[in-house]
């Protein structure tokens, strides 16, 4: 099943970010913003996964690294070279070069270094996905993301209510179409009545 929705989504995952100081004193926060084939439970019986290759077509876009999805707290940006993203066999990995002159960035760096903040999220639109009916449960498999707006280091990662609501509405539509198809099949079997 292809998804044509053009709605900004966010997905949050428990990950472990690390800090690094390079030669010359440059500071970095690095880690995976998404891990492939790792189920994220939307609600009981409904999960979503990101498939390998989902980010391949959008990594040349101008993506921002944020703190807690706050667009006023920009940590880095691919366009400026302060954020680098790559997709590997595990997922979407990123490296953010921290600006020592930015108090918010330095505060976050210290919190990540201590382990107080170690989770992430990303904001995107779904370009292509597949719905899998698991007989009483279901799974969405995100196959292509475009655009990828942002990656974020965050304190409390969680799906935004709009993302879950959109998925529930989509499931209801799928179930409605399945019920209609079943009714049509039964009508044909009963002679078109």
């Amino acid at each position: 099943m292809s998804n044509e929705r053009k709605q900004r989504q966010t997905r949050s995952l428990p990950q472990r970010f690390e800090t690094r100081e390079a030669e010359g004193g440059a500071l970095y926060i690095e880690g995976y913003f998404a891990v492939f084939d790792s189920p994220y439970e939307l609600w009981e019986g409904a999960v979503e996964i990101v498939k390998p290759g989902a980010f391949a077509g959008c990594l040349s876009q101008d993506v921002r690294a944020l703190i807690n999805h706050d667009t006023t707290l920009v940590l880095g940006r691919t366009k400026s070279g302060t954020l680098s993203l790559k997709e590997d066999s595990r997922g979407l990995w990123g490296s953010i070069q921290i600006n020592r002159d930015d108090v918010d960035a330095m505060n976050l760096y210290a919190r990540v270094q201590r382990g107080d903040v170690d989770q992430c999220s990303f904001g995107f639109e779904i370009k292509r996905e597949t719905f899998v009916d698991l007989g009483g449960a279901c799974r969405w498999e995100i196959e292509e993301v475009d655009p990828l707006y942002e990656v974020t280091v965050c304190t409390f990662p969680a799906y935004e209510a709009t993302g879950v609501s959109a998925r529930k509405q989509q499931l209801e539509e799928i179930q409605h179409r399945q019920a209609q198809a079943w009714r049509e099949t039964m009508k044909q079997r009963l002679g078109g009545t």
Side-chain angles (χ1 to χ4, degrees):
M1 174 184 173
S2 177
N3 185 357
E4 299 293 326
R5 288 184 299 129
K6 294 291 182 193
Q7 179 179 358
R8 185 180 174 130
Q9 305 279 314
T10 60
R11 299 299 183 266
S12 304
L13 304 162
Q15 294 302 320
R16 177 73 178 136
F17 281 93
E18 296 180 0
T19 59
R20 172 174 70 87
E21 185 169 354
E23 286 187 37
L27 301 177
Y28 296 89
I29 295 175
E30 299 175 327
Y32 283 90
F33 287 98
V35 176
F36 297 136
D37 294 319
S38 179
Y40 186 88
E41 185 175 47
L42 295 163
W43 64 86
E44 190 174 332
V47 297
E48 181 177 77
I49 61 173
V50 178
K51 299 300 291 177
F55 299 101
C58 63
L59 292 181
S60 63
Q61 297 170 355
D62 186 17
V63 181
R64 278 93 169 152
L66 306 177
I67 302 172
N68 289 320
H69 296 289
D70 187 337
T71 58
T72 64
L73 298 173
V74 179
L75 291 169
R77 188 172 178 180
T78 55
K79 180 179 170 182
S80 67
T82 54
L83 168 65
S84 61
L85 296 170
K86 69 177 182 178
E87 186 179 285
D88 63 20
S89 62
R90 183 172 177 214
L92 177 64
W93 183 87
S95 179
I96 307 163
Q97 184 178 354
I98 298 301
N99 179 356
R100 286 184 180 269
D101 295 328
D102 182 335
V103 174
D104 295 315
M106 289 302 295
N107 287 340
L108 179 67
Y109 182 86
R111 290 179 181 117
V112 171
Q113 192 172 41
R114 280 180 26 140
D116 296 335
V117 175
D118 64 355
Q119 297 177 307
C120 67
S121 185
F122 56 100
F124 63 100
E125 287 183 15
I126 298 168
K127 186 171 183 180
R128 188 170 42 91
E129 67 180 0
T130 299
F131 174 78
V132 180
D133 186 344
L134 301 171
C138 62
R139 178 179 65 235
W140 281 272
E141 298 178 351
I142 298 173
E143 297 164 345
E144 188 175 358
V145 166
D146 191 20
L148 175 63
Y149 295 108
E150 46 104 356
V151 293
T152 192
V153 180
C154 55
T155 308
F156 293 108
Y159 272 79
E160 291 182 355
T162 56
V164 173
S165 295
R167 285 296 194 205
K168 284 186 176 181
Q169 182 180 9
Q170 187 180 30
L171 178 60
E172 289 169 1
E173 290 171 8
I174 290 167
Q175 290 171 333
H176 177 74
R177 285 194 307 267
Q178 287 173 335
Q180 283 181 317
W182 180 84
R183 281 193 286 280
E184 289 301 315
T185 300
M186 290 301 110
K187 281 183 184 179
Q188 289 175 358
R189 285 185 182 170
L190 294 172
T193 58

